[in-house]
């Protein structure tokens, strides 16, 4: 199967698409990108690309009807909006959650009746990337209805917006107004864009095939044998999975953003040094940024301005005071966001728990923040002091590692077992018994992982301090720039995890 990290994509598909794009007349270059995107989809999911095509045509027509209804003030506009939003969302829920719902309804029925019925899962084909372009489609319809953007008159542009191949499998999740300036410009290839895009792709490959794919072997081993691990080994499993997930997801985003940049198309950033955040709320402003922005724009803001919240705010202050009113208001706005976040990730209770876990933490932070600041001021504690900020980051890492452990666990029961096992033993005996050399990789692999992590961590530190970045590297003198380029390219070629005996690791977020 074609993915963003294999030779089919990097050596054949992407260069051939670039060639076809450049030699084609400017007015037809959008068609080239659409054709390439549907070929890409076909190579992954065969004829399931027809689902994306059908949804795209429906969204195009629905947006035109919505704009006409909004301008004329006709009441049936809301009916069109509800139907046009519920159709793609309903299809997503049906395709992705039918078996989950059926299994749990069967369990509940057995519990209430004492029966022993067994649910037989349906065989359902799930189009790749459906969770990503469904959100894009719904966001586009809502923006048209709210008058933020006009309905697009060109079906070609809507097809490209929803299918553009670099973001098809894992995002980032696009908003029309954030990408239309470059997505539909059809500009000729430029040396600057080719250089910047190619280096961004190699940077992503370093994270993915040098670090994440090796860590995946270790993580799979540790989580598969979770019952035999305790203490530090369980903690290590959570830390290594979080590291793997960040290296893979941010690395694939680098490849996607770099691929788009080759064509002069700018995709939104999806990560911004998330582990430098001070709390869980800021972490989610830096991690999977496009998903968080979607929830903020289309769930949080509409909920915060809804009649329910306004009515509660007005009456709550009079009867219960500002503190309780603020807490309930925050809960009303945050709960649907984080419930949707958990459900969006997949049909598992552990994903729902993951969403509610962050709901509780962020709600607690939001409610207690003003009281905490007052307390620190009374105690004359400098919240900007290095020791205080270090403590904040340690606390955040504990929150993130715990959340990702439940996220990765096979199910919620396994997640709870692993969490308990942290406190039932030290795990030192396993570590002293050279456990890490018996989990599928050898000392040379560990050396590559550690070296790669040092490079990425140093880069993130320098970027956070605004001292260095790939963009700033391009402005440096030619010998310095190309020395860094060659070091990056040859590191990927020499130390990448591929070749004889290597099994390609599936993209984690392609399954969501």
């Amino acid at each position: 199967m074609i993915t963003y990290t294999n030779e089919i994509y990097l050596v054949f598909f992407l260069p051939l698409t670039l060639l076809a794009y450049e030699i084609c007349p400017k007015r037809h270059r959008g068609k080239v990108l659409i054709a390439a995107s549907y070929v890409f989809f076909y190579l992954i999911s065969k004829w399931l690309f027809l689902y994306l095509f059908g949804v795209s045509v429906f969204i195009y027509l629905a947006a035109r009807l919505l704009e006409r209804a909004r301008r004329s003030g006709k009441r049936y506009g809301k009916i069109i909006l509800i139907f046009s939003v519920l159709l793609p969302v309903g299809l997503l829920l049906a395709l992705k959650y039918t078996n989950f719902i059926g299994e749990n309804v069967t369990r509940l029925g057995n519990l209430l009746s004492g029966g022993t019925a067994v649910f037989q899962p349906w065989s359902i084909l799930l189009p790749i990337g459906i969770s990503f372009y469904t959100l894009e489609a719904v966001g586009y319809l809502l923006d048209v209805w709210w008058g933020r953007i006009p309905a697009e008159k060109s079906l070609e542009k809507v097809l490209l917006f929803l299918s553009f191949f670099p973001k098809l499998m894992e995002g980032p999740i696009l908003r029309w107004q954030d990408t239309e300036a470059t997505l539909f410009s059809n500009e000729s290839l430029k040396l600057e864009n080719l250089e910047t895009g190619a280096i961004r792709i190699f940077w992503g490959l370093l994270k993915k095939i040098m670090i994440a794919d090796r860590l995946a072997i270790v993580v799979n081993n540790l989580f598969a044998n979770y019952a035999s691990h305790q203490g530090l080994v369980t903690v290590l499993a959570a830390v290594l999975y979080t590291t793997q997930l960040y290296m893979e997801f941010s690395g694939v985003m680098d490849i996607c953003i770099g691929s788009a940049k080759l064509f002069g198309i700018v995709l939104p950033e999806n990560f911004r040094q998330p582990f430098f955040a001070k709390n869980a709320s800021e972490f989610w402003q830096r991690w999977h940024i496009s998903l968080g922005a979607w929830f903020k724009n289309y769930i949080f803001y509409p909920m915060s301005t809804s009649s329910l919240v306004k009515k509660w705010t007005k009456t709550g202050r009079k009867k219960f005071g500002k503190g309780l009113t603020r807490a309930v208001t925050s809960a009303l706005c945050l709960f649907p966001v984080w419930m949707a976040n958990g459900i969006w990730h997949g049909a598992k209770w552990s994903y729902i728990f993951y969403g509610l876990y962050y709901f509780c933490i962020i709600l607690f932070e939001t409610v207690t923040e003003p009281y905490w600041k007052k307390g620190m001021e009374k105690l004359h504690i400098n919240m900007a002091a290095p020791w205080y900020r270090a403590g904040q980051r340690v606390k955040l890492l504990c929150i993130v590692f715990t959340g990702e452990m439940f996220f990765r666990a096979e199910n919620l029961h396994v997640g709870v077992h692993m969490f308990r096992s942290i406190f039932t033993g030290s795990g030192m005996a396993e570590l002293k018994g050279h456990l890490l050399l018996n989990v599928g990789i050898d000392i040379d692999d560990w050396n590559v992982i550690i070296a790669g992590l040092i490079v990425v961590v140093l880069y993130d530190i320098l970027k956070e301090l605004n001292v260095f970045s790939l963009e700033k590297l391009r402005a440096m003198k030619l010998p310095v720039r190309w020395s860094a380029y060659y070091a990056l390219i040859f590191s990927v070629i020499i130390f990448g995890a591929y070749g004889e005996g290597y099994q390609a690791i599936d993209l984690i977020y392609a399954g969501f």
Side-chain angles (χ1 to χ4, degrees):
M1 182 181 80
I2 186 173
T3 69
Y4 297 119
T5 59
N6 65 20
E7 66 279 1
I8 299 175
Y9 178 81
L10 296 169
V11 179
F12 297 103
F13 179 84
L14 191 54
L16 288 175
T17 302
L18 286 166
L19 178 62
Y21 176 89
E22 181 62 18
I23 64 177
C24 189
K26 182 175 181 177
R27 66 182 182 276
H28 296 308
R29 284 173 177 164
K31 297 181 180 66
V32 171
L33 294 178
I34 293 170
S37 299
Y38 277 91
V39 169
F40 183 80
F41 200 126
Y42 176 81
L43 293 174
I44 300 170
S45 297
K46 301 302 180 184
W47 295 104
L48 289 177
F49 77 84
L50 293 173
Y51 174 84
L52 174 58
F53 180 78
V55 167
S56 300
V57 173
F58 171 80
I59 295 299
Y60 166 76
L61 295 173
R64 298 293 299 276
L65 286 174
L66 280 175
E67 184 175 56
R68 191 175 302 171
R70 181 179 61 82
R71 288 179 174 176
S72 61
K74 293 182 179 178
R75 294 181 179 179
Y76 65 76
K78 287 188 177 180
I79 298 175
I80 297 173
L81 176 67
I82 292 170
F83 175 74
S84 60
V85 168
L86 286 182
L87 181 64
V89 171
L91 288 171
L92 170 63
L93 292 174
L95 293 171
K96 201 168 181 179
Y97 303 99
T98 294
N99 287 332
F100 176 73
I101 294 171
E103 181 182 348
N104 283 280
V105 168
T106 302
R107 286 180 180 176
L108 181 60
N110 289 338
L111 182 65
L112 295 176
S113 65
T116 58
V118 178
F119 175 73
Q120 297 296 329
W122 294 5
S123 179
I124 300 175
L125 295 175
L126 190 65
I128 197 76
I130 184 172
S131 296
F132 292 93
Y133 53 74
T134 297
L135 293 191
E136 291 173 341
V138 171
Y140 171 66
L141 289 175
L142 291 173
D143 283 339
V144 169
W145 175 248
W146 291 331
R148 293 174 176 173
I149 57 173
E152 178 53 51
K153 296 180 181 179
S154 168
L155 174 60
E156 178 182 313
K157 290 184 178 180
V158 175
L159 289 172
L160 180 57
F161 171 69
L162 293 177
S163 69
F164 187 44
F165 68 87
K167 59 86 187 174
L168 186 59
M169 291 179 72
E170 292 199 0
I173 299 165
L174 305 185
R175 293 184 70 204
W176 183 277
Q177 52 268 52
D178 294 337
T179 54
E180 63 174 329
T182 57
L183 184 59
F184 310 124
S185 63
N186 296 336
E187 294 298 328
S188 297
L189 301 183
K190 297 178 181 178
L191 183 59
E192 176 186 351
N193 292 334
L194 293 173
E195 179 183 332
T196 304
I199 292 305
R200 187 72 183 265
I201 289 172
F202 273 100
W203 180 242
L205 289 172
L206 181 144
K207 295 180 185 177
K208 175 69 169 72
I209 66 175
M210 276 184 61
I211 303 172
D213 284 0
R214 284 182 168 90
L215 285 177
I217 299 169
V218 179
V219 168
N220 291 342
N221 187 297
L222 291 176
F223 274 82
N225 298 287
Y226 71 93
S228 60
H229 301 315
Q230 294 177 325
L232 290 175
V233 177
T234 302
V235 172
L236 185 63
V239 172
L240 291 179
Y241 173 66
T242 304
T243 306
Q244 177 209 347
L245 180 62
Y246 175 61
M247 290 298 157
E248 173 172 309
F249 195 16
S250 68
V252 172
M253 286 299 98
D254 289 325
I255 297 170
C256 296
I257 292 170
S259 297
K261 186 64 176 178
L262 297 174
F263 299 93
I265 296 170
V266 178
L267 298 184
E269 295 292 339
N270 223 16
F271 290 89
R272 184 171 57 83
Q273 298 81 252
F275 298 103
F276 287 92
K278 297 186 292 292
N279 52 44
S281 181
E282 186 186 348
F283 176 82
W284 276 94
Q285 294 170 21
R286 293 165 171 258
W287 174 285
H288 208 340
I289 297 170
S290 63
L291 179 65
W294 195 95
F295 285 133
K296 182 172 68 175
N297 281 297
Y298 303 109
I299 297 181
F300 182 84
Y301 285 160
M303 190 65 191
S304 64
T305 57
S306 66
S307 58
L308 172 65
V309 171
K310 288 181 178 179
K311 185 176 180 180
W312 161 254
T313 302
K314 184 178 180 180
T315 58
R317 287 177 178 174
K318 295 179 181 179
K319 295 182 178 181
F320 304 105
K322 291 183 179 180
L324 182 59
T325 301
R326 184 170 181 268
V328 175
T329 300
S330 299
L332 288 173
C333 297
L334 289 171
F335 180 79
V337 169
W338 290 103
M339 190 66 180
N341 186 300
I343 293 173
W344 179 86
H345 278 94
K348 289 171 63 175
W349 282 112
S350 54
Y351 293 148
I352 295 175
F353 173 85
Y354 179 77
L356 295 180
Y357 169 81
Y358 273 105
F359 163 70
C360 293
I361 290 171
I362 293 176
L363 178 62
F364 179 80
E365 289 179 349
T366 302
V367 171
T368 61
E369 183 180 18
Y371 304 105
W372 183 264
K373 286 182 177 179
K374 288 181 180 179
M376 293 297 101
E377 289 174 3
K378 287 183 178 181
L379 294 172
H380 303 290
I381 294 176
N382 181 10
M383 297 176 68
W387 68 268
Y388 185 89
R389 296 172 68 181
Q392 284 183 308
R393 292 200 171 96
V394 170
K395 178 196 70 174
L396 175 65
L397 290 177
C398 292
I399 291 171
V400 173
F401 294 150
T402 302
E404 297 303 341
M405 181 181 68
F406 278 96
F407 186 84
R408 173 61 176 78
E410 184 64 26
N411 53 55
L412 189 54
H413 172 76
V414 172
V416 172
H417 177 94
M418 292 183 70
F419 183 74
R420 287 177 176 174
S421 73
I422 295 174
F423 309 100
T424 58
S426 68
M428 288 301 299
E430 293 180 80
L431 294 175
K432 290 180 179 179
H434 303 293
L435 170 69
L436 295 182
L437 295 179
N438 296 287
V439 285
I441 64 174
D442 58 25
I443 189 65
D444 291 333
D445 289 314
W446 280 113
N447 288 334
V448 172
I449 290 171
I450 292 169
L453 285 174
I454 290 172
V455 171
V456 174
V457 170
L458 286 175
Y459 175 82
D460 278 0
I461 291 173
L462 294 174
K463 190 172 183 181
E464 180 69 14
L465 296 173
N466 199 29
V467 173
F468 179 78
S469 66
L470 292 179
E471 292 75 18
K472 291 187 176 184
L473 175 61
R474 194 180 181 281
M476 293 182 178
K477 293 182 179 180
L478 190 143
V480 175
R481 184 168 81 247
W482 280 97
S483 295
Y485 289 170
Y486 279 123
L488 174 60
I489 293 168
F490 281 108
S491 293
V492 170
I493 294 173
I494 296 170
F495 299 113
Y498 48 77
E500 187 177 355
Y502 168 70
Q503 292 185 346
I505 306 296
D506 291 337
L507 305 182
I508 296 174
Y509 262 74
F512 298 139

